[in-house]
Amino acid sequence: MRLSSLLALLRPVLPLILGLSLGCSLSLLRVSWIQGEGEDPCVEAVGKPGGPQNPDSKNGLDQGDEDFRPRIVPYYRDPNKPYKKVLRTRYIQTELGSRERLLVAVLTSRATLSTLAVAVNRTVAHHFPRLLYFTGQRGARAPAGMQVVSHGDERPAWLMSETLRHLHTHFGADYDWFFIMQDDTYVQAPRLAALAGHLSINQDLYLGHAEEFIGTGEQARYCHGGFGYLLSRSLLLRLRPHLDGCRGDILSARPDEWLGRCLIDTLGIGCVSQHQGQQYRSFELAKNRDPEKEESPAFLSAFAVHPVPEGTLMYRLHKRFSALELERAYSEIEQLQAQIRNLTVLTPEGEAGLSWPYPASHGSV
């Protein structure tokens, strides 16, 4: 009775007990087989020519991990060589070799430095990363907030040559484009910056208001300095070795004609008014013309306006073009508002969920 009752109690766990017993027996049997066979033949083959490599062997681990072990390289400085201190740049943009897009150089004079040049500075200086003024006056006193470079010689060819030399020496590695203008020119700065942003920098480009040389009978052209012109960095680098030769060989009373002739004679590059689908648009302002009444398409789309003989006219032009830019901004805002209203009907909440622009009953922005 007792045995039968004990079997009845152990019957539910009997398969578990049998399984554990069988597993332990097989494990012990396998250990006895491994110990009885001696050394592994695969281990004996390690080190033999053509034999397989055992990844668990000590030699294999030592050789395989050698490349991954850290090594301390002691610092040694040759006492016979001069020590050179490593200087880190202040800005990562400089360390990466990145360049600014546009530098603007303004040619001015003794008579207009305190009038027209100041008007140029007040209207466009905040739009450009760097704005420099170049004059032939020796020891010129710079007005407040302006960086003036004095060359000490007012001859046109000398002034242009020294200006290009200064730009190459001090800024040739920092900017992609160089815009050269006169101080009697009004420049629509946002449009000029956008133009430079759409042009490829890997080219020799001389872009501006193209004019033909008078009395030469050839098709070569130069860029009129009154309307300003763009020089690419690569073109400036190529022109730099020829500046001294051009200054001695080319005679001209105008710096823009001298530069155009130098580029054509040395590099075979003339001025163009259009490149890569971008048109350099300029407008010649008639005498006693009121800029607030000017409505011609050429004026409204111009990058540069010339001539501007007075500082007050410079400010009036700036007021007019600022108003045009403001109207264009308001027009773009209205178009965005209309698009938002049209898309609102497709949203789950419909027009009831319109938060901006406000519904017609609340007025518009």
Side-chain angles (χ1 to χ4, degrees), residues 93 97-103 128-130 173-177 201 233:
Q93 181 181 13
S98 302
R99 293 186 293 269
E100 293 285 353
R101 197 66 178 176
L102 180 64
L103 181 146
F128 299 122
R130 181 64 64 91
D174 300 329
Y175 291 86
D176 292 327
W177 294 98
I201 63 175
R233 175 178 176 270

Side-chain angles (χ1 to χ4, degrees), residues 137-150:
Q137 178 185 358
R138 185 182 301 274
R141 183 177 180 180
M146 296 172 56
Q147 186 175 354
V148 179
V149 180
S150 301

Side-chain angles (χ1 to χ4, degrees), residues 322-336:
S322 297
L324 292 174
E325 291 297 321
L326 190 60
E327 291 177 2
R328 184 177 294 107
Y330 280 137
S331 176
E332 293 177 357
I333 291 175
E334 291 179 357
Q335 294 177 5
L336 291 175

Side-chain angles (χ1 to χ4, degrees), residues 36-75:
E37 291 178 357
E39 296 183 357
D40 192 349
C42 295
V43 177
E44 296 177 356
V46 173
K48 295 181 180 180
Q53 299 295 326
N54 184 9
D56 294 334
S57 64
K58 186 176 184 300
N59 294 334
L61 288 174
D62 292 341
Q63 296 175 0
D65 292 348
E66 184 67 25
D67 295 336
F68 299 98
R69 291 180 179 177
R71 292 180 297 172
I72 299 177
V73 180
Y75 173 74

Side-chain angles (χ1 to χ4, degrees), residues 170-342:
H170 297 279
F171 305 102
D174 300 329
Y175 291 86
D176 292 327
W177 294 98
F178 298 88
F179 183 76
I180 302 176
M181 57 177 286
Q182 300 173 180
D183 59 2
D184 60 346
T185 303
Y186 175 78
V187 175
Q188 226 293 326
R191 297 180 186 176
L192 179 63
L195 174 66
H198 284 85
L199 294 173
S200 175
I201 63 175
N202 298 322
Q203 56 192 327
D204 298 334
L205 184 60
Y206 178 35
L207 179 68
H209 180 83
E211 293 277 354
E212 293 183 0
F213 289 98
I214 300 176
T216 59
E218 57 181 337
Q219 299 297 324
R221 296 185 174 187
Y222 70 97
C223 289
H224 194 291
F227 301 102
Y229 43 88
L230 277 171
L231 290 176
S232 64
R233 175 178 176 270
S234 60
L235 182 59
L236 181 63
L237 296 181
R238 292 184 57 192
L239 179 64
R240 170 62 181 85
H242 304 287
L243 291 178
D244 293 336
C246 290
R247 189 166 59 188
D249 298 339
I250 301 174
L251 299 177
S252 178
R254 294 182 51 175
D256 52 359
E257 290 186 357
W258 177 87
L259 174 60
R261 175 57 62 189
C262 181
L263 285 170
I264 293 172
D265 292 349
T266 59
L267 303 178
I269 296 176
C271 177
V272 294
S273 298
Q274 184 176 359
H275 185 74
Q276 293 181 345
Q278 301 295 320
Q279 178 76 30
Y280 188 84
R281 298 180 294 271
S282 57
F283 183 80
E284 184 175 358
L285 188 64
K287 188 177 181 179
N288 299 326
R289 185 70 177 180
D290 188 359
E292 296 181 2
K293 297 181 180 179
E294 187 65 55
E295 298 291 344
S296 63
F299 175 82
L300 298 178
S301 61
F303 292 100
V305 178
H306 173 80
V308 186
E310 300 176 355
T312 55
L313 183 58
M314 187 82 68
Y315 298 129
R316 292 172 63 190
L317 283 167
H318 186 63
K319 176 184 176 182
R320 175 78 165 116
F321 279 99
S322 297
L324 292 174
E325 291 297 321
L326 190 60
E327 291 177 2
R328 184 177 294 107
Y330 280 137
S331 176
E332 293 177 357
I333 291 175
E334 291 179 357
Q335 294 177 5
L336 291 175
Q337 289 177 338
Q339 294 177 6
I340 292 174
R341 291 192 183 95
N342 294 334

